[in-house]
DNA sequence: TTGTATGCGTTATCAG
DNA sequence: CTGATAACGCATACAA
């Protein structure tokens, strides 16, 4: 790639070679119909010979559409250390990104990737700068505080991914937390016949957590069960927090519930850890259910029953909606909700534990 | 985001508001020094009030630099099914992408993400089209056959990621396969005192596989050990292939080696699976070592000793080199090699197996 | 120190 | 059906 004297070919070069005007070149490039077949062919030939590729910047300038959408996710510690619990969760946003990429390329758009927590410090500055490079923006939940998104959303098409759904300032694409927890409740109460349940919540400030908690309590109650005081089982999304809550409940002489639903998988792991330490058998004495279905939970013993989110779909849908917004097509709804699926494994008592080297999903095909 | 009558503010708007020319606005925006403080302030104020953000397309057009680099990875089946073995490997490229993003944003560039195997069918077309939107391209190994990259590399700055290193047409950033396998050999032979080893190879056509094989054999031999015939343990990167090879060796009455090194983790898993089925104890009777250190191997029993690649670093370095290329700084080398690290766990006999609910890396912090 | 004018590569609006 | 030519928003060489 030395600075070739010629530089990249432009439509002028193509026009010259084909013996037509640049307007004509532009026309064939953009698939216009009113063109003599011979002319079109000459141009195509020239394009091929010159290996011409239109300059995206020029195109974007001219038609005011860059055909690029950005996606912003929360930053990650820059360490290249061992994978941590934290990093395991990343697979979630990675899947979303992959889905978004697929959706974008299918629509003829490109995906610009950005972490918000990057070295640059201020996420708002980062996002704002992005604004000039894209036609629209997808923000993963929590990259920007609620009140910051409204002004931004007025300046550029934007969709919130996995947000609370209560935001009125931007279109939201998310998962049906309420329905998911209703499923869990139904499985535990109606399916297993449990009556006394508990719910381990994440940070109180989190809409995800409160939605899941409320739905679980409501569903369980409606089905004739009871949920132990939420405050007693309140945690903070982390394994450690959930472990602490569990231990305190145990030490305070609290009655062991028949089933424990957790607002995420990390906390379910923490709970199971403490239970194991206390000699409480899962699922024989108490069932445990998680949320997110992160990859590692299949390898626990027993494998964790959890709510699986359609992460790929989430990304793809977000892009579809965003591109629609960009191109002037209003979304079907300003709050798009995708279904979850309860992934049933051993921790709720449905299956025997799997103690082999590999879990059931590792099909060797031999 | 209704089509605001005004449209996004331009530097003309800013210039008007600040009572200066667009040239001056451009200057303060680009941090020029010869500017009266008062003037600069007026412009900055106007920028703030208008919430002006420069149009990336216009900027790119004008200065011939889009400040965007693209990264192309191999496509993924669009299914949103359960994670498969295949998908577990994705974390590798996901980490690379994250590293690349971090590197790019630190250098003031953005990262354009593209899968090659996308729905569009032809990867070469996809990549070629990308060319117009970016200043440079990073290709993950195998997205394009060797002979296809040369012509492309002549037209746009490009770095190959995790390639063979033998490509002369583009700069390569990769991992030191040879040193990694030398480490493995040293650990097995010098560390554990094993003499009779075996190596499970991937597809014969793969440079990664042959490099690893050659290095392993050479190192073991030099240290006074022997390696069983490579052909007997030849596989195809998959768990199934490795399982087959292992079973055949066992059934043919082949002597059990003291240690088995595998060209990747999937195959190590296949090997362990068959050994377990045959009642051969790992690591007591035979040690097994993998390559890549994919997340799941820590949860196997015993946990797999494996070669960890600095995937994040790989991505960041690739971007650094690429941006250097774009901006006219020649790379220190056309074949940049990063070190690996042997991650020692139980499968080689170094540690006792861990049979708890959680592996050692799950520190609950309680 | 600041303003004027030109070019960057495309698309699109006119004529012809 | 095709060819001039004017934007598009910004950076910059050249003047002042």
């Amino acid at each position: 790639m030395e600075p070739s004297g010629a530089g990249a070919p432009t439509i002028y070069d193509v026009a010259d070679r084909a013996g037509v005007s640049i307007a004509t070149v532009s026309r064939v490039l953009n698939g216009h119909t009113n063109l003599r077949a011979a002319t079109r062919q000459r141009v195509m030939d020239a394009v091929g010979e010159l290996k011409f590729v239109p300059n995206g910047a020029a195109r974007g300038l001219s038609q005011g559409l860059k055909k690029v959408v950005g996606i912003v996710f929360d930053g990650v510690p820059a360490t290249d250390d061992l994978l941590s619990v934290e990093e395991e969760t990343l697979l979630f946003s990675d899947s979303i990104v992959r889905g978004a990429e697929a959706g974008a390329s299918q629509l003829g758009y490109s995906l610009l990737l950005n972490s918000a927590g990057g070295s640059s410090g201020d996420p708002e500055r980062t996002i704002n700068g992005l604004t000039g490079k894209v036609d629209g923006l997808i923000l993963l939940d929590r990259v920007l505080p609620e009140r910051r998104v409204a002004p931004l959303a007025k300046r550029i098409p934007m969709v919130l991914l996995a947000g609370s759904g209560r935001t009125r300032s931007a279109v939201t694409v998310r998962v049906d937390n309420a329905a998911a927890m209703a499923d869990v409740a139904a499985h535990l109460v109606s399916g297993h016949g449990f009556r006394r349940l508990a719910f381990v919540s994440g940070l109180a400030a989190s809409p995800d957590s409160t939605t899941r908690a409320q739905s679980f309590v409501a569903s369980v109650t409606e089905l004739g069960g009871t949920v132990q005081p939420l405050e007693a089982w309140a945690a903070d999304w982390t394994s450690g927090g959930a472990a602490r809550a569990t231990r305190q409940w145990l030490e305070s002489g609290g009655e062991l519930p028949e089933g424990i639903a957790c607002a995420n998988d990390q906390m379910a792991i923490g709970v199971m850890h403490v239970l194991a330490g206390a000699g409480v058998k899962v699922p024989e004495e108490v069932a445990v259910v998680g949320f997110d279905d992160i990859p590692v939970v299949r390898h626990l013993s027993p494998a964790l029953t959890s709510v699986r989110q359609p992460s790929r779909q989430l990304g793809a849908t977000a892009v579809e909606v965003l591109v629609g917004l960009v191109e002037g097509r209003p979304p079907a709804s300003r709050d798009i909700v995708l279904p979850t699926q309860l992934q049933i494994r051993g921790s709720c008592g449905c299956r025997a534990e799997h103690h082999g080297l590999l879990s059931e999903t590792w099909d060797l095909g031999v």
Side-chain angles (χ1 to χ4, degrees), chain A:
Chain A
M1 252 317 291
E2 34 271 62
S4 68
T10 72
I11 68 173
Y12 284 92
D13 300 320
V14 177
D16 273 3
R17 204 172 216 294
V20 298
S21 73
I22 63 167
T24 298
V25 175
S26 180
R27 289 189 184 104
V28 342
L29 255 36
N30 292 292
H32 289 212
T33 48
N34 293 337
L35 286 170
R36 196 183 312 170
T39 309
R40 172 189 303 282
Q41 191 54 51
R42 289 222 308 285
V43 172
M44 294 295 268
D45 288 349
V47 167
E49 291 159 10
L50 265 37
K51 296 189 186 311
F52 168 79
V53 175
N55 180 319
R59 217 198 269 250
L61 217 211
S62 177
Q63 60 177 34
L65 235 207
K66 308 181 187 69
K67 291 278 200 171
V68 176
V69 294
I71 186 167
V72 185
F73 55 90
D74 24 350
V76 192
T79 65
D80 204 359
D81 293 342
L82 292 182
L83 293 183
S84 62
V85 170
E86 195 56 40
E87 186 146 351
E88 293 275 355
T89 63
L90 292 183
L91 203 53
F92 182 62
S93 49
D94 283 334
S95 293
I96 289 181
V97 169
R98 283 183 187 272
E101 193 280 329
S105 82
Q106 189 167 349
L107 293 168
Y109 279 67
S110 294
L111 222 219
L112 206 52
L113 202 60
N114 281 78
S115 72
S119 45
S120 2
D122 183 6
E124 197 157 7
R125 263 186 65 80
T126 307
I127 297 177
N128 206 43
L130 246 187
T131 273
K133 288 181 167 184
V134 303
D135 299 315
L137 232 34
I138 296 173
L139 260 44
L140 259 56
D141 195 23
R142 281 175 238 179
V143 301
L144 214 55
E146 189 84 3
R147 72 177 195 290
R148 299 290 192 186
V149 14
L152 241 183
K154 276 195 308 200
R155 306 173 32 66
I156 186 171
M158 163 171 311
V159 358
L160 258 30
L161 199 34
S164 66
R166 297 179 317 184
T167 314
R168 300 308 305 163
S169 51
V171 177
T172 297
V173 174
R174 63 188 175 97
V175 116
D176 195 341
N177 280 316
M181 289 316 297
D183 285 349
V184 172
H187 185 73
L188 258 25
V189 179
S190 306
H192 286 276
F194 300 146
R195 285 290 172 276
R196 292 169 294 107
L197 304 174
F199 181 84
V200 181
S201 54
L203 287 171
S206 162
D208 271 348
S209 179
T210 53
T211 303
R212 291 173 192 173
Q214 287 168 2
S215 169
F216 184 69
V217 172
S219 301
V220 168
T221 309
E222 183 175 350
L223 293 169
T226 61
V227 179
Q228 299 180 345
L230 288 178
E231 319 80 63
W233 291 90
D236 58 0
W237 290 126
T238 73
S239 299
R244 210 171 302 123
T246 306
R247 192 172 327 102
Q248 284 176 3
W249 177 262
L250 255 37
E251 289 175 352
S252 71
E255 179 189 32
L256 207 61
E258 295 169 281
I260 303 175
C262 304
N264 78 354
D265 286 342
Q266 267 88 355
M267 298 197 294
I269 290 173
V271 169
M272 285 171 72
H273 184 72
V274 170
L275 291 178
V280 177
K281 285 211 176 64
V282 175
E284 291 80 358
E285 299 179 57
V286 51
V288 176
V289 178
F291 202 110
D292 283 349
D293 195 21
I294 64 178
V296 72
V297 301
R298 270 171 298 153
H299 307 294
L300 299 179
S301 179
L304 185 67
T305 289
S306 185
V307 174
R308 159 166 282 256
Q309 308 199 36
S311 44
R312 216 107 144 207
Q313 259 308 327
L314 234 30
T317 302
V319 170
E320 277 168 33
V321 172
L322 180 57
V323 167
L325 244 35
V326 167
E327 297 178 347
R329 272 170 278 127
S333 157
R334 289 188 57 82
D335 180 28
I336 295 169
V337 179
L338 266 37
T340 58
Q341 188 185 338
L342 185 58
Q343 196 68 40
I344 294 175
R345 301 206 180 82
S347 69
C348 63
C350 272
R351 296 189 190 180
E353 299 183 26
H354 180 98
H355 281 303
L357 170 64
L358 307 169
S359 79
E360 78 278 8
T361 55
W362 288 77
D363 182 357
L364 297 183
V366 287

